[in-house]
Amino acid sequence: LVVGISIAILAGRGHRPCVETFMFAHGLNSKRVFEGATNLVYAYAGQWMYFEIMAEMEDPQTFPKAFAISGPIMVSMYLVVACVSYYYLGENVTG
């Protein structure tokens, strides 16, 4: 719900002419690439909790099915937020 509201606000503001988007960031170096890679790793850092969730499930055998559904949804939500935010905010994106 919050993601949908945020995207609607960005879409309502529109793509401002002063916003620039680039295929590769200016000043891209190995440090910035590493920072971006660690952001991706930390985005999925909740994987340690999968064992806790499985332990609490009534039927742990259904966990692979639950993950097969929730995993792609999580990835697609991350991608939608990242792509839409970058489109509307361009190089002004801070996170």
Side-chain angles (χ1 to χ4, degrees), residues 33-86:
V33 170
F34 181 74
E35 288 171 351
T38 56
N39 283 342
L40 183 66
V41 169
Y42 287 122
Y44 297 99
Q47 293 179 353
W48 62 270
M49 191 147 177
Y50 294 157
F51 299 110
E52 299 287 331
I53 294 170
M54 286 174 50
E56 297 297 322
M57 290 179 74
E58 190 173 306
D59 183 14
Q61 300 297 327
T62 61
F63 181 78
K65 181 173 63 174
F67 184 72
I69 294 170
S70 67
I73 291 172
M74 288 188 296
V75 170
S76 63
M77 292 302 292
Y78 277 119
L79 284 173
V80 166
V81 169
C83 292
V84 169
S85 297
Y86 187 68

Side-chain angles (χ1 to χ4, degrees), residues 12-34:
R13 290 182 185 166
H15 187 77
R16 298 181 181 167
C18 62
V19 173
E20 294 184 83
T21 56
F22 304 98
M23 180 62 85
F24 297 103
H26 291 294
L28 188 64
N29 56 30
S30 59
K31 179 182 179 272
R32 292 192 70 190
V33 170
F34 181 74

